[in-house]
């Protein structure tokens, strides 16, 4: 088998592929011709409208240009474009230059034993282009350019880091500065398209803050954990596909747990619930449409970005005490620690993926 | 290329935003007080129904009111001058006087690159939290002594003083606490000349008649080889300094002073001398303003006199006698100061202390009146001796009776109104009846270091640290009982004026249990916890 070098194998593959293309075209055309007479237009499975198919072509012998395919199928992504349009199409259409209207006929190169697989791929691409041009020429009644819009991305999922400012001096019991990071997750969905560029989304989110201090007053260990659950509505304006200012209003509640412990003593724990309303504004920086689109059209709608938001959180005060007596049998009164004012400005940065 | 540029610019913007957020996260600083430890002085000061906890590190005091049946876990905070060092209740001899104050000695601080200097001060804190602060100047005094009636306080530095560039070891300040801090008569600094020795102790005399002037009081300052007399009625007069040491014994180390007010005489005993120094204050016109001078007489006190007491012998009413516990010679010595005659009585142990009491004796005839007697005991000795002082110089050893105490005595709590004495004996206490001369031993399961006597309820309280039980001894019936608390005890603080006993527990945030002194039980106890940090969030500072 030593005479079967790589180039000869490549040539064989090219021939086989050319034949297979012809067979596919022949088969497709035969099916179209024998089953149902072609109509003016055929609706694809995805619902996209495609030009009517020309008559079936005769089988193509090897070494000759293959027949034009029965249907000039648009790319899969183009097919998917129309799908969410009826519900919410968050991204504006982007016009992509159409393929050349006329292309000189290509002379199909004769397979050569010295061709590489790259050569084979290049030739196959040329042939496909040629077929597409032929199909376009054949359908002169539908010359409109192919439009590649944003694939639509109504869903958003984000990981957020909030810098929450606390002005209350009492917060120093739990933290050595006035800003606490809150790490959170949120998910949103575009529920309403108000204009071509303005969308309203609904969001649900959760965030957690944790501050811990050792050596407070020399011997105390303090701990403050808060879980914030909120629902939000946001308005997003698509200024550019990659820059989208937005405003956001949220409401929810924070479940706070404060712990205080001194060496050799039982841990004192108390809980509080604080309602929260936030109003903020910011923008979304995201990747261009279709950046992650694959050849077969998948991930066309996916994008990632950074969302930055600043605003003010109006929160109810949280009161803490040392809690109950931890099983003390002698009546025990424990001190009230007081109220913690939690309202303050915040800056939120989110890593967002939309799809 | 266009897409590449776009993506680069967006990445740059994102990178710009990250520092902004990082900057935001770093802003705001914690109040420095939150990092400072709460360093309470050893024992709170009791002002009737209020406990005053002094935070030496935070220059503040916490006033906890325990009057309510179930007190609120809260404490009023008040600011104090810098450097609280010690605190004690101001003496008050008049029970009708409702003035209750805590005296807090604050040593101040030197200036530094970050803070200005602050003078030493004596702060008088009332139950309501009002503070009067007497400026003591730059000397960081460390010792406070007050007169029995609480009018005068003297401050001096008894410890080694290297806290300032220049230190005058003899500097002291006399404060008239009845004067307002702004009054010129309130603070009188004194720097009596000495011979190189710093003050070690100060004693206030009772009212005496000196140089035919009645109701005069002296402040007696002791140092290693000197006794300094300061006339409190004439603070502008010069001090009288008496050097006790001689070429053979340069230091006397005076440590005890007794006053014979009727004869304007004071007796000084030194730890390094076998002599008792009698100072008789005689009228004398001095050019520096003083109208008296001491006449000094050295009395033989046996070998190593360790304690002494003045008593009046009915047989010799004109001259009081000194009873000296001479440890070195194992004797009790009766000294007649007027004649310097000493009568030694050999004891069965080495004596360290003398306690006078008025009681009958089981050997007395019936209906005999109570007379002055002496209880003599020694450190770490398992016996005591009763000495009947009537006609002691004639009867000598026949007036002596030894009683085995059942264990070595570490300290003694006199309950003279009860004619009883509590002997602290390591792992137990003994109740000594001075009239019956009997000992009732009460053993304990743990070492006892101190005990509290509740005169109202005739009860003795013990609460050894690091365990959770309070022991009680009913002095009327001899019954013992105990109360279990919820946490280990650090110390017991008597609040018997309001019928309570406060048990302080180990805690960084303030934890105590108030026990009913009349009916001590768990049911009638109440605990509070966290009063040192109450409303810390509202205050915004610790």
């Amino acid at each position: 088998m030593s005479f079967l070098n790589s180039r000869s194998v490549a040539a064989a593959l090219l021939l086989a592929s050319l034949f297979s293309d012809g067979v596919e075209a022949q088969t497709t055309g035969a099916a179209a011709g024998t089953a149902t007479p072609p109509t003016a237009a055929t609706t694809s499975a995805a619902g996209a409208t495609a030009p009517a198919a020309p008559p079936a072509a005769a089988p193509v012998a090897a070494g000759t240009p293959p027949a034009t395919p029965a249907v000039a199928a648009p790319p899969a992504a183009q097919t998917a474009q129309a799908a969410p349009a009826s519900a919410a199409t968050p991204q504006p259409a982007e016009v992509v230059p159409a393929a050349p209207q006329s292309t000189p006929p290509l002379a199909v190169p004769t397979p050569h034993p010295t061709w590489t697989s790259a050569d084979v791929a290049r030739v196959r691409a040329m042939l496909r282009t040629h077929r597409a041009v032929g199909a376009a020429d054949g359908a002169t009644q539908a010359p409109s350019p192919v439009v590649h819009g944003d694939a639509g991305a109504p869903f958003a999922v984000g990981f957020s880091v909030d810098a929450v400012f606390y002005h209350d001096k009492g917060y120093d019991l739990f933290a050595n500065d006035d800003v606490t990071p809150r790490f959170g997750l949120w998910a949103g969905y575009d529920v309403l398209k108000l204009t071509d560029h303005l969308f309203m989304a609904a969001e649900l989110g959760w965030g957690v803050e944790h501050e811990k201090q050792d050596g407070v007053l020399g011997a105390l260990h303090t701990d403050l954990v808060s879980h914030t659950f909120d629902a939000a509505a946001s308005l997003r304006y698509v200024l550019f596909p990659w820059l989208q200012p937005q405003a956001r209003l949220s409401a929810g509640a924070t479940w706070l747990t404060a712990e205080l412990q001194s060496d050799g003593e039982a841990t004192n724990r108390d809980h509080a619930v604080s309602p929260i309303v936030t109003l903020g504004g910011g923008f979304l920086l995201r990747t261009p449409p279709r950046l992650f689109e694959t050849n077969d059209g998948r991930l066309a709608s996916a994008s990632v970005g950074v969302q930055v938001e600043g605003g003010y959180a109006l929160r109810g005060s949280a009161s803490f005490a040392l809690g109950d007596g931890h099983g003390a049998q002698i009546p025990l009164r424990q001190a009230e620690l007081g109220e913690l004012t939690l309202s303050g400005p915040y800056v939120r940065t989110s890593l967002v993926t939309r799809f | 290329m266009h897409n590449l540029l776009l993506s680069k610019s967006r990445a740059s913007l994102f990178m710009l935003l990250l520092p902004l957020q990082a900057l935001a996260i770093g802003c705001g600083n914690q109040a420095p007080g939150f990092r400072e430890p709460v360093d309470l002085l050893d024992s709170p000061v009791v002002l009737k129904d209020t406990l005053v906890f002094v935070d030496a590190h935070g220059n503040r005091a916490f006033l906890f009111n325990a009057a309510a049946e179930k007190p609120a876990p809260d404490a009023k905070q008040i600011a104090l001058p810098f450097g609280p060092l010690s605190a004690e209740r101001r003496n008050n001899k008049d029970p009708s006087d409702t003035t209750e104050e805590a005296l807090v000695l604050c040593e101040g601080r030197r200036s530094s690159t970050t803070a200005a200097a602050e003078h030493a001060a004596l702060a008088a804190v009332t139950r309501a939290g009002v503070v009067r602060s007497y400026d003591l100047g730059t000397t960081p005094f460390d010792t406070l002594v007050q007169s029995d009636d609480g009018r005068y306080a003297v401050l001096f530095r008894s410890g080694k003083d290297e806290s300032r560039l220049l230190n005058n070891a003899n500097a002291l300040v006399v404060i008239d606490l009845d004067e307002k801090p702004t009054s010129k008569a309130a603070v009188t600094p004194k720097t009596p000349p000495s011979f190189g020795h710093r003050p070690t102790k100060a004693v206030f005399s009772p009212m005496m008649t000196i140089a035919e002037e009645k109701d005069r009081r002296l402040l007696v300052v002791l140092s290693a080889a000197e006794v300094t007399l300061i006339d409190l009625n004439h603070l502008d007069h010069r001090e009288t300094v008496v050097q006790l040491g001689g070429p053979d014994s340069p230091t006397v180390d005076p440590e005890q002073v007794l006053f014979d007010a009727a004869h304007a005489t004071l007796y000084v005993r030194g730890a390094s001398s076998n002599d008792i120094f009698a100072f008789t204050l005689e009228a004398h016109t001095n050019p520096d303003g003083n109208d008296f001078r001491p006449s000094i007489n050295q009395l033989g006190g046996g070998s190593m006199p360790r304690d002494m007491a003045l008593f009046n012998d009915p047989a010799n009413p004109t001259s009081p006698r000194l009873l000296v516990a001479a440890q070195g010679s194992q004797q009790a010595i009766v000294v007649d100061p007027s004649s310097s005659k000493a009568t030694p009585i050999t004891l069965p142990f080495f004596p360290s202390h003398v306690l006078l009491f008025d009681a009958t004796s089981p050997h007395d005839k019936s209906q005999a009146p109570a007379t002055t007697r002496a209880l003599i005991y020694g450190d770490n000795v398992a016996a005591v001796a009763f000495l009947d002082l009537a006609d002691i110089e004639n009867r000598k050893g026949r007036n002596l009776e030894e009683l085995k105490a059942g264990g070595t005595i570490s300290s003694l709590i006199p309950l003279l109104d009860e004619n009883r004495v509590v002997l602290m004996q390591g792992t137990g206490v003994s109740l000594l009846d001075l009239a019956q001369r009997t000992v009732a031993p009460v053993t304990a399961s743990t070492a006892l270091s101190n005990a509290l006597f509740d005169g109202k309820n005739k009860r003795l309280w013990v609460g050894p640290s690091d365990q959770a039980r309070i022991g009680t001894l009913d002095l009327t019936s001899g019954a013992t009982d105990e109360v279990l608390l919820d946490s280990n005890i650090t110390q017991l603080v008597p609040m018997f004026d309001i019928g309570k006993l406060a048990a302080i527990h180990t805690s960084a945030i303030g934890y105590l249990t108030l026990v009913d002194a009349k009916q001590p039980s768990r049911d009638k106890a109440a605990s509070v916890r966290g009063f040192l940090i109450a409303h810390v969030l509202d205050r915004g500072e610790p």
Side-chain angles (χ1 to χ4, degrees), chain B residues 14-98:
Chain B
F14 177 58
M15 295 302 287
L16 279 175
L17 291 171
L18 283 180
L20 287 177
Q21 190 149 346
L23 193 66
I25 288 174
C27 79
N29 288 323
Q30 191 177 39
F34 281 103
R35 284 285 154 198
E36 303 298 329
V38 176
D39 183 15
L40 299 182
L41 297 182
D42 286 342
S43 182
V45 179
V46 181
L47 301 180
K48 208 176 283 294
D49 58 0
T50 302
L51 289 171
V52 182
F53 295 87
V54 176
D55 177 13
H57 201 93
N59 306 317
R60 58 187 167 170
F62 298 89
L63 274 60
F64 174 78
N65 192 292
E69 186 178 351
K70 291 184 178 178
D74 197 0
K76 182 177 184 178
Q77 279 196 44
I78 57 167
L80 293 175
F82 193 90
L85 203 63
S86 65
E88 60 187 65
R89 182 180 175 276
R90 183 182 173 189
N91 291 337
N92 184 4
K93 270 203 162 177
D94 185 0
S96 63
D97 188 353
T98 56

Side-chain angles (χ1 to χ4, degrees), chain A residues 40-351:
Chain A
T42 303
T43 303
S44 71
T49 303
V60 179
T64 59
T68 304
V71 177
Q78 189 176 347
T79 305
Q81 170 205 1
S86 57
T89 307
Q91 311 302 340
E94 183 182 66
V95 178
V96 177
Q101 293 297 313
S102 61
T103 305
L106 293 178
V108 177
T110 304
H112 192 277
T114 60
W115 281 13
T116 64
S117 58
D119 295 330
V120 174
R122 179 168 55 81
V123 170
R124 291 183 66 177
M126 291 169 60
L127 288 173
R128 286 197 189 95
T129 307
H130 182 67
R131 288 175 199 147
V133 171
D137 290 340
T140 52
Q141 65 274 30
S144 59
V146 178
V147 176
H148 295 267
D150 196 341
F155 293 98
V157 174
F159 166 72
S160 61
V161 179
D162 293 23
V164 187
F165 292 73
Y166 293 110
H167 295 300
D168 194 333
K169 288 183 179 177
Y171 198 75
D172 288 351
L173 182 67
F174 302 104
N176 58 9
D177 55 43
D178 294 341
V179 182
T180 295
R182 180 197 300 156
F183 300 97
L185 295 172
W186 57 271
Y189 182 74
D190 290 348
V191 294
L192 199 60
K193 177 182 179 183
L194 300 175
T195 70
D196 284 346
H197 297 281
L198 189 60
F199 300 88
M200 173 176 280
E203 294 177 8
L204 288 175
W206 161 82
V208 61
E209 299 169 45
H210 185 196
E211 286 290 359
K212 187 178 181 182
Q213 288 276 290
D214 291 323
V216 177
L217 303 179
L220 298 182
H221 312 281
T222 62
D223 203 289
L224 182 67
V225 178
S226 73
H227 292 272
T228 300
F229 301 89
D230 62 5
S234 68
L235 279 177
R236 192 175 75 257
Y237 181 76
V238 182
L239 185 63
F240 301 107
W242 51 271
L243 178 62
Q244 301 173 5
Q246 71 164 28
R248 182 168 163 276
L249 175 68
S250 77
T254 301
W255 171 256
L256 298 110
T257 301
E259 286 187 2
L260 190 146
Q261 192 205 4
S262 57
D263 294 334
E265 296 184 76
T267 300
N268 297 278
R269 185 178 293 112
D270 197 16
H271 305 283
V273 177
S274 167
I276 177 172
V277 175
T278 70
L279 178 62
F283 55 86
L284 168 67
L285 279 173
R286 49 156 284 184
T287 54
R290 300 180 182 281
L291 182 67
F292 304 108
E293 182 178 7
T294 61
N295 283 341
D296 56 358
R298 285 182 287 186
L299 299 179
S301 63
S303 69
V304 297
V306 176
Q307 185 171 302
V308 179
E309 176 185 325
Y312 192 85
L314 193 63
R315 303 171 81 171
S317 299
S319 294
F320 293 107
L322 288 179
D324 58 18
H326 296 288
Q329 296 175 352
I330 293 176
L332 173 65
R333 293 186 69 183
Q334 300 229 83
E336 303 279 340
L337 296 179
E339 276 192 354
L340 205 55
T341 302
L342 299 169
S343 293
Y346 69 91
V347 175
R348 159 183 275 209
T349 302
S350 298
L351 287 174

Side-chain angles (χ1 to χ4, degrees), chain B residues 218-507:
Chain B
L218 298 179
L219 169 62
V220 183
V221 181
L222 309 179
S223 57
E226 299 89 22
V227 172
T228 302
L229 307 179
I230 298 173
D231 187 351
L232 290 174
N233 292 59
H234 305 282
L235 281 169
D236 55 326
H237 289 182
R238 190 177 176 186
E239 311 83 23
T240 302
V241 181
V242 179
Q243 186 178 13
L244 299 180
D248 298 334
S249 56
T251 59
V252 173
D253 298 320
E255 60 180 16
Q256 186 180 15
V257 181
L258 296 179
F259 297 93
D260 178 6
H263 300 90
T265 303
L266 53 101
Y267 302 91
V268 178
R269 179 184 60 80
S272 304
S273 172
N274 291 334
D275 292 333
I276 306 297
F277 298 88
F279 289 55
T280 303
L281 305 177
E282 301 172 338
H284 185 266
T285 303
N286 295 297
D288 53 10
N290 273 331
D291 56 352
F292 69 89
R293 71 176 179 184
S295 169
I296 301 170
N297 185 22
Q298 289 182 247
L299 307 173
S303 173
M304 297 174 61
R306 287 295 171 261
D307 198 2
M308 62 182 183
L310 265 178
F311 68 96
N312 290 310
D313 185 354
N316 302 285
T318 56
S319 175
R321 297 290 194 269
L322 268 178
L323 175 62
V324 181
Q327 193 176 67
S329 56
Q330 199 175 326
Q331 293 172 326
I333 298 176
V334 179
V335 182
D336 179 1
S338 61
S339 64
S340 301
K341 179 188 173 187
T343 305
I345 301 158
T346 301
L347 298 173
F349 52 83
F350 294 100
S352 303
H353 307 282
V354 173
L355 177 68
L356 300 183
F357 62 95
D358 292 321
T360 59
S361 161
H363 310 298
D364 288 349
K365 297 174 183 177
S366 60
Q367 305 299 324
T371 58
T372 301
R373 305 168 197 271
L375 176 72
I376 301 173
Y377 59 101
D379 292 333
N380 299 316
V381 173
V384 297
F386 290 92
L387 191 62
D388 298 334
L389 298 177
D391 200 20
I392 182 66
E393 287 166 318
N394 292 325
R395 296 177 61 82
K396 298 183 181 175
R398 285 177 289 172
N399 280 9
L400 184 69
E401 181 182 2
E402 183 189 8
L403 182 66
K404 298 294 182 187
T408 57
I409 302 167
S410 57
S411 62
L412 180 148
I413 302 172
L415 314 175
L416 298 184
D417 290 342
E418 309 296 317
N419 269 341
R420 296 184 187 190
V421 163
V422 177
L423 306 175
M424 305 301 297
Q425 295 174 305
T427 57
V429 296
S430 290
L431 194 59
L432 174 62
D433 189 319
L434 296 174
Q436 300 298 322
R437 300 188 179 179
T438 57
V439 175
V442 179
T443 59
S445 59
T446 183
L448 302 177
S449 57
N450 51 36
L452 299 175
F453 169 63
D454 177 6
K456 277 188 176 178
N457 299 294
K458 305 287 189 287
R459 185 175 282 120
L460 197 71
W461 301 80
V462 292
S465 58
D466 300 327
Q467 55 87 51
R469 295 177 192 274
I470 296 176
T472 63
L473 172 61
D474 190 317
L475 297 177
T476 307
S477 65
T480 60
D481 200 354
E482 63 183 21
V483 179
L484 174 64
L485 305 184
D486 283 339
S487 184
N488 283 359
I489 299 166
T490 303
Q491 65 177 146
L492 297 182
V493 180
M495 304 186 79
F496 299 134
D497 285 345
I498 60 169
K500 293 183 179 181
L501 176 80
I504 312 292
H505 302 293
T506 306
S507 172

